[in-house]
Amino acid sequence: MSVSAFDGEKVKSIATRMRIDIIEMLAEAKSGHPGGSLSAADIVATLYFGGVLKYDPSDLCDKMRDRFVLSKGHAAPVQYAALAEAGIIERKELLGLRKLGHMLQGHPDASKTPGVEVSTGSLGQGISVSCGMALGLKIDGGSQRVFCLTGDGELDEGQVWEAAMFAAHEKLDNLTVIVDNNGLQIDGLCCDVMSLGDIGAKFSAFGFDVLEVDGHDCFALHEAFTTPPCKDKPRVIIAHTHKGKGVSFMEDKASWHGTAPSLEQAKSACDELCAPKGSDA
């Protein structure tokens, strides 16, 4: 998809549809991770449908495409919802999530799912892979960018910081790391499990250009994604989000990190997502 004028309201509508898809596929699968999928919906929708990520749905091997790596692989439903919205996979395939042998596994599988660049799931490794991609593209002299979405709890992994040192050392200004900073991980508050302190200061100390945005504001996200890179510096965008965003009984609750909704809960969630803002319906 080529860069075009940004239609924020359209992107917000797409993010809502993606949230509904996430709920429906998880309820059908009876397992999966709704919290971090819902928190990242606006980020992923803005990347794919805000004219940010350069890609051609009909030519997924185009060498000039930008790369997207979902390092927080357990949030695969948000990427699957985007791939369906883009027409890369058929929407009916979403209901096959986590079924044995199906194209949509519990974590992204590049060997099974069109549009998935890298198989991910082992936390912390996506940034390292993204560094390799970004370095290769620079060596080839290309203008392509690499976007890597990580969770805040994922930053507990030491490999993240080894990759961060590498990215700065190699001056990977074509690399953008996005932190889905929802403050929760499977065992509770990130600050209780392993305090991250000032994430921006940490990345800055490692040589990154740092931006912070409201991760549910598509306009702010688009501005951050399209801000020209700082020469010779990788970038991190810390996107402040809410786990389970959009579904009131899931929001900011660690218990929904890896718990699928029942069919009744899924109906309630979808009704809420479909209801006009300010409606009691």
Side-chain angles (χ1 to χ4, degrees):
M1 180 172 289
S2 61
V3 175
S4 59
F6 180 62
D7 186 342
E9 294 304 320
K10 178 181 177 182
V11 172
K12 288 165 64 176
S13 295
I14 291 173
T16 297
R17 288 203 296 272
M18 288 169 54
R19 286 189 165 97
I20 292 170
D21 283 338
I22 289 166
I23 293 296
E24 290 181 342
M25 71 176 91
L26 289 172
E28 175 69 20
K30 298 181 176 61
S31 66
H33 298 80
S37 299
L38 294 171
S39 68
D42 300 296
I43 297 169
V44 176
T46 304
L47 280 172
Y48 273 85
F49 308 107
V52 177
L53 197 66
K54 291 186 293 183
Y55 70 101
D56 180 353
S58 66
D59 184 7
L60 298 176
C61 295
D62 177 13
K63 291 183 179 179
M64 296 308 296
R65 73 190 187 281
D66 291 336
R67 274 64 164 177
F68 172 68
V69 176
L70 182 68
S71 191
K72 46 179 278 179
H74 56 276
V78 72
Q79 186 173 18
Y80 297 156
L83 295 176
E85 187 71 31
I88 295 172
I89 62 174
E90 294 188 45
R91 179 162 265 105
K92 66 180 182 182
E93 300 292 350
L94 297 178
L95 297 182
L97 175 71
R98 287 180 170 248
K99 288 185 170 59
L100 186 64
H102 192 265
M103 69 159 62
L104 304 183
Q105 293 299 291
H107 293 78
D109 186 336
S111 71
K112 292 184 180 297
T113 310
V116 169
E117 297 280 359
V118 184
S119 299
T120 57
S122 298
L123 293 176
Q125 296 181 359
I127 298 180
S128 294
V129 173
S130 298
C131 285
M133 285 181 165
L135 179 59
L137 292 170
K138 279 184 75 80
I139 290 172
D140 287 344
S143 59
Q144 306 93 321
R145 300 175 67 186
V146 180
F147 295 88
C148 176
L149 177 59
T150 177
D152 49 359
E154 187 175 358
L155 302 184
D156 293 353
E157 303 287 344
Q159 184 172 344
V160 168
W161 304 106
E162 296 175 29
M165 280 191 290
F166 179 86
H169 178 77
E170 295 292 343
K171 302 178 180 178
L172 300 179
D173 52 10
N174 58 345
L175 172 66
T176 297
V177 175
I178 308 152
V179 179
D180 180 5
N181 189 34
N182 58 47
L184 289 168
Q185 53 187 288
I186 191 167
D187 291 324
L189 292 166
C190 291
C191 60
D192 290 338
V193 177
M194 178 68 79
S195 177
L196 294 165
D198 187 334
I199 299 173
K202 283 185 167 63
F203 272 100
S204 180
F206 277 83
F208 275 61
D209 173 49
V210 180
L211 300 178
E212 297 201 35
V213 298
D214 177 344
H216 299 307
D217 183 336
C218 295
F219 294 91
L221 285 165
H222 182 264
E223 182 177 355
F225 291 146
T226 56
T227 296
C230 288
K231 183 173 173 51
D232 294 337
K233 277 191 163 188
R235 169 170 289 158
V236 63
I237 297 173
I238 301 169
H240 300 288
T241 62
H242 293 277
K243 201 133 187 161
K245 176 67 175 178
V247 179
S248 56
F249 63 84
M250 291 184 176
E251 284 191 13
D252 299 319
K253 293 182 175 62
S255 58
W256 285 103
H257 177 97
T259 304
S262 66
L263 293 178
E264 292 76 15
Q265 289 169 325
K267 183 180 185 310
S268 175
C270 291
D271 287 346
E272 181 179 352
L273 288 164
C274 291
K277 296 297 180 187
S279 169
D280 292 331

